[in-house]
Amino acid sequence: MTGTENPVQESTAKPLKLRLYLMMFLQYFVQGCYLPIITLYLIDALGFSALQVGVFGAALAVGPLLAPFVFGQIVDRHYATERVLAFCHLSGGIIMLVLFVQQSFWPVVILGVLYSVLYVPTMMLTNSLTFQHLKDSDKEFPLIRLWGTIGFVIPAWLAEGLFLAHLKGDELNTGRGIVLAMAGVAGLLMAGYCLTLPHTPPVKSDKKDLAPGKVLKMLKYRHFLILVVVAFIISIVHKFYFQWNSPFISAILKFGNVTGAWEQRISSIGQVFEVLIMAVLGFGIKKYGFKTVMLVGLLSYMVRSLVFAYASTLSATFPMALTLTCFGQAMHGLCFGCFLAAAYIYVDKVSPLDVRGSMQTFFGTFVFGLGMFAGGFISGSIGDYFTSSGKETLLRTQWSISSQTGIIEFTQKNLTGESANLLRDWPGIWLCSAAIALFATVLFWILFPNAESSNRLDLTEEAP
């Protein structure tokens, strides 16, 4: 071998990768049970208002706020990662089963907070565990992570194709709660499996240097600071999608008088395309570099919001409205893969070896913590602003839509059993989401430094 040749990168043993595949599958199977349709369940079955949905969405983001200074420190300094994962999933599974039988607003919110404290950090910890056992993370992590995406998709077809297949109307609305029970059972299974994962002890070196302090020092580097800021902003848009996507799909289906449970399966289109993107993500990063790949992801967030805004105005042409809605779902693969997954890989590359757990949880705080917390209130408030009472309007059917304004009118039952006609301006909701995504894209494009296609990052860069 000459001095100019690169050494061959060693590969991780196949049996170990198979164990990591199953870990990722179960990790995201839990979330895939409830996340795609939780908003629709809260609105149609429990009678939550748009603002209450926003409060619940913010509650789910409380957990990551504690992650960098609690779970990251525990994993990096005290306890093995697999044991922390087992504890979190065991406790979270029990809470989800309790949540299944709750219907009142505050108990649901409080249980949501407790669940997020336990579940959300596990997403960062499974990433951290995976990175610590891989020989070539750039190439191998995307292939492992795509099994998480597969796990996220499967519950949609189990729930709607099996448990909800023949339900309609109020029966369907309340029946959707089964996804919470599914998530609880899957969480308990994941807890048991975590105890079989490769032992991942804390790194004992540099004991006097607390992991959170070392992580915060990374903010002096411009590339890391800008990534954190942009991740915070784009996570607000991410929250718009998961908070309003299922009610939006339900509204589009009403254009064509489509009944039954289809929202979760239509939403799963995004995860199917996410699998395809994750399969080639490592190649894309090596060829085009981190900045280009992440810019594609940011632009996809904006385009998806614009597509949804336009689709909601096409009440007269249901096939076109549904086609655009499905296209928007497919773009989730680019949104998640090209920005969020690529960002996790980037964070791993710039992390000091002994604080990788804290680095992953710190970054996750801004993606799934502060950003999602703010996104819950922002998307809920914007949804509430663009939702008005239709008391002055007499509807002859359960729903109607104006082809000129794109405002959907539908009848919803609240907890008291009274009917309230709501007018939801979907173009207004999605255009707000697009504006936030545009701001994040421009900020990243201008301020994030270029990296070589070889991705050898300059960690000696001084803060501007």
Side-chain angles (χ1 to χ4, degrees), residues 100-412:
F100 170 60
V101 298
Q102 291 295 326
Q103 294 186 341
S104 301
F105 174 69
W106 283 114
V108 168
V109 170
I110 292 171
L111 287 170
V113 170
L114 293 175
Y115 183 75
S116 72
V117 169
L118 293 162
Y119 177 80
V120 177
T122 65
M123 292 188 288
M124 282 72 78
L125 294 178
T126 49
N127 287 344
S128 176
L129 185 147
T130 301
F131 283 128
Q132 290 192 48
H133 291 280
L134 294 181
K135 303 293 185 182
D136 184 0
S137 61
D138 284 5
K139 178 182 178 182
E140 296 173 332
F141 177 75
L143 296 177
I144 290 173
R145 178 57 184 80
L146 74 82
W147 279 94
T149 302
I150 295 171
F152 192 95
V153 170
I154 297 300
W157 296 86
L158 287 178
E160 293 185 343
L162 183 62
F163 298 115
L164 306 176
H166 304 294
L167 302 182
K168 295 181 181 180
D170 289 341
E171 245 186 355
L172 173 59
N173 293 337
T174 56
R176 286 193 176 101
I178 192 66
V179 299
L180 300 177
M182 289 174 58
V185 172
L188 298 180
L189 291 175
M190 175 63 172
Y193 181 71
C194 286
L195 295 177
T196 72
L197 292 172
H199 183 50
T200 311
V203 178
K204 298 298 183 180
S205 62
D206 198 19
K207 293 181 181 178
K208 295 181 180 180
D209 185 10
L210 290 178
K214 206 165 191 177
V215 169
L216 292 174
K217 290 178 182 178
M218 288 295 297
L219 292 174
K220 71 179 181 180
Y221 300 115
R222 189 181 73 176
H223 61 90
F224 186 67
L225 175 62
I226 296 303
L227 179 62
V228 167
V229 171
V230 170
F232 168 78
I233 298 171
I234 207 63
S235 67
I236 296 174
V237 183
H238 199 72
K239 192 66 174 180
F240 263 89
Y241 173 74
F242 279 107
Q243 192 146 292
W244 288 114
N245 188 46
S246 57
F248 170 71
I249 295 174
S250 180
I252 294 296
L253 291 175
K254 290 174 182 176
F255 287 3
N257 290 318
V258 177
T259 59
W262 290 95
E263 293 84 1
Q264 200 167 0
R265 281 176 284 185
I266 292 175
S267 175
S268 72
I269 294 173
Q271 281 68 49
V272 172
F273 277 85
E274 185 182 319
V275 170
L276 301 178
I277 297 300
M278 294 298 294
V280 298
L281 180 60
F283 169 79
I285 291 174
K286 287 183 179 293
K287 183 173 179 62
Y288 300 106
F290 280 102
K291 183 171 184 177
T292 299
V293 170
M294 287 193 280
L295 270 175
V296 170
L298 291 170
L299 284 170
S300 298
Y301 275 103
M302 181 184 69
V303 172
R304 179 179 64 187
S305 297
L306 293 175
V307 167
F308 285 167
Y310 180 62
S312 64
T313 67
L314 301 176
S315 61
T317 54
F318 171 68
M320 178 60 70
L322 183 60
T323 299
L324 288 176
T325 300
C326 292
F327 174 73
Q329 305 301 319
M331 291 197 70
H332 179 72
L334 287 172
C335 296
F336 178 87
C338 290
F339 183 76
L340 292 183
Y344 276 122
I345 297 173
Y346 184 92
V347 169
D348 180 70
K349 292 186 72 69
V350 302
S351 300
L353 179 61
D354 68 322
V355 291
R356 281 181 172 176
S358 286
M359 288 291 287
Q360 291 291 338
T361 51
F362 178 84
F363 179 72
T365 294
F366 284 88
V367 176
F368 297 106
L370 287 177
M372 298 289 269
F373 184 78
F377 287 110
I378 292 172
S379 61
S381 298
I382 289 176
D384 186 63
Y385 178 81
F386 286 106
T387 301
S388 59
S389 173
K391 293 179 181 179
E392 72 284 359
T393 304
L394 295 177
L395 301 179
R396 295 182 179 178
T397 60
Q398 287 188 325
W399 69 274
S400 63
I401 182 168
S402 169
S403 59
Q404 296 179 344
T405 64
I407 298 178
I408 299 169
E409 304 174 6
F410 58 97
T411 301
Q412 175 187 355

Side-chain angles (χ1 to χ4, degrees), residues 44-112:
D44 288 348
L46 304 189
F48 282 24
S49 68
L51 194 56
Q52 287 176 321
V53 167
V55 172
F56 178 80
L60 293 182
V62 170
L65 298 177
L66 305 175
F69 302 101
V70 178
F71 284 95
Q73 181 66 21
I74 288 173
V75 172
D76 284 331
R77 294 289 186 258
H78 300 290
Y79 297 102
T81 301
E82 73 277 7
R83 294 182 181 180
V84 177
L85 282 170
F87 169 78
C88 289
H89 278 290
L90 175 63
S91 305
I94 294 172
I95 290 175
M96 190 59 76
L97 291 175
V98 176
L99 187 59
F100 170 60
V101 298
Q102 291 295 326
Q103 294 186 341
S104 301
F105 174 69
W106 283 114
V108 168
V109 170
I110 292 171
L111 287 170

